[in-house]
């Protein structure tokens, strides 16, 4: 049976490479340069449905992916980009049922991704010291329908974590090296710590602190993503690319 769109669902409207993430509501209209669309017309239709605006342009109502929610989230802080999220997931060995601490909720982009991975039996414990950031993160996570898998904590992570024997600790704050001893205490044996840093100087400090804390497999990475413009007889690399976004340093706890 095809999954149908319901009142209150989010859809990704797509046309000619452009996308809009919108909430379907019976009495709402969506306006764009392609014309006006009565969103109530989508209720009961399957995802992937082609629907025309009042000016005759076609939009496709796609089911949003977690990448769509991440890239179109409300933000006041720099987010962790999808190209980095994949590496974080594999280095932390995250899967359904895992328990993960996140230090630094920010705008909630990483929070959403972690919750998407650990659902339905897992849990994300997200620490944030700034209330205004946490409010934004809560809204973004709720919009993605993942709030039941996240426990937000308005608390300074440098004072320690409430949880024990978690599978991974992801640290995305300005001075992550200061949290490494606290993360080691909260982590289960052979669990992973991941630190996200914008500069090489911070990355150096993180790596040294990890080694001093007795962690093993200390490795730092940077991920580049370059698109390919695939056209028959004219395929070439894109002239635009996402370059530096963050350095990622991972390590594993041992007894």
């Amino acid at each position: 049976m095809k999954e149908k769109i319901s009142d209150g669902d989010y859809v990704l409207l797509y046309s000619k490479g452009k996308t809009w993430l919108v909430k379907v509501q019976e009495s709402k209209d969506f306006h764009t340069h392609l014309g006006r669309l009565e969103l109530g017309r989508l209720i009961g239709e399957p995802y992937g449905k082609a629907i025309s605006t009042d000016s005759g342009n076609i939009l496709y109502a796609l089911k949003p992916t977690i990448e769509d929610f991440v890239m179109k989230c409300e933000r006041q802080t720099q987010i962790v980009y999808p190209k980095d999220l994949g590496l974080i997931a594999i280095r932390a060995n995250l899967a359904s049922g895992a328990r993960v601490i996140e230090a630094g909720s920010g705008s909630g982009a990483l929070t959403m991704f972690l919750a998407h991975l650990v659902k339905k039996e897992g849990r994300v414990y997200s620490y944030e010291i700034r209330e205004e950031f946490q409010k934004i993160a809560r809204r973004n996570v709720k919009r993605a329908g993942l709030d039941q898998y996240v426990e937000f904590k308005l608390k300074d992570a440098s004072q320690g974590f409430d949880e024990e024997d978690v599978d991974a600790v992801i640290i995305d704050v300005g001075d992550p090296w200061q949290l490494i001893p606290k993360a080691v205490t909260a982590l289960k044996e052979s669990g992973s710590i991941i630190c996200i840093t914008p500069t090489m100087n911070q990355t150096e400090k993180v790596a040294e602190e990890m080694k001093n804390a007795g962690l093993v497999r200390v490795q730092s990475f940077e991920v580049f993503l370059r698109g390919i413009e695939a056209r028959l007889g004219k395929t070439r690399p894109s002239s635009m690319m996402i370059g530096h976004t963050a350095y990622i340093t991972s390590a594993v706890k041992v007894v």
Side-chain angles (χ1 to χ4, degrees), residues 79-100:
I79 66 168
V80 181
Y81 275 75
K83 72 180 184 67
D84 299 317
L85 292 175
L87 180 61
I88 290 170
I90 200 167
R91 297 302 300 181
N93 196 33
L94 296 180
S96 176
R99 297 171 63 242
V100 185

Side-chain angles (χ1 to χ4, degrees), residues 160-184:
F161 301 109
D162 301 329
E163 296 73 33
E164 297 179 346
D165 294 322
V166 299
D167 296 282
V169 180
I170 317 294
I171 304 174
D172 186 12
V173 298
D175 48 1
W177 51 88
Q178 294 187 6
L179 302 188
I180 289 173
K182 304 294 185 183
V184 171

Side-chain angles (χ1 to χ4, degrees), residues 180-200:
I180 289 173
K182 304 294 185 183
V184 171
T185 300
L187 200 62
K188 65 169 55 172
E189 284 76 13
S190 202
S192 299
I193 296 178
I194 311 290
C195 289
I196 302 163
T197 47
T199 71
M200 284 191 173

Side-chain angles (χ1 to χ4, degrees), residues 21 68-79 105-109 112 132-141 143:
L21 184 64
D68 296 320
F69 283 109
V70 166
M71 294 305 297
K72 294 184 180 296
C73 72
E74 176 188 356
R75 65 181 80 170
Q76 279 193 350
T77 61
Q78 176 67 38
I79 66 168
S105 305
S107 296
M112 285 188 284
E132 65 271 28
F133 289 170
Q134 189 188 76
K135 288 180 178 178
I136 293 172
R138 283 181 180 274
R139 289 197 294 268
N140 284 326
V141 171
R143 183 172 72 159

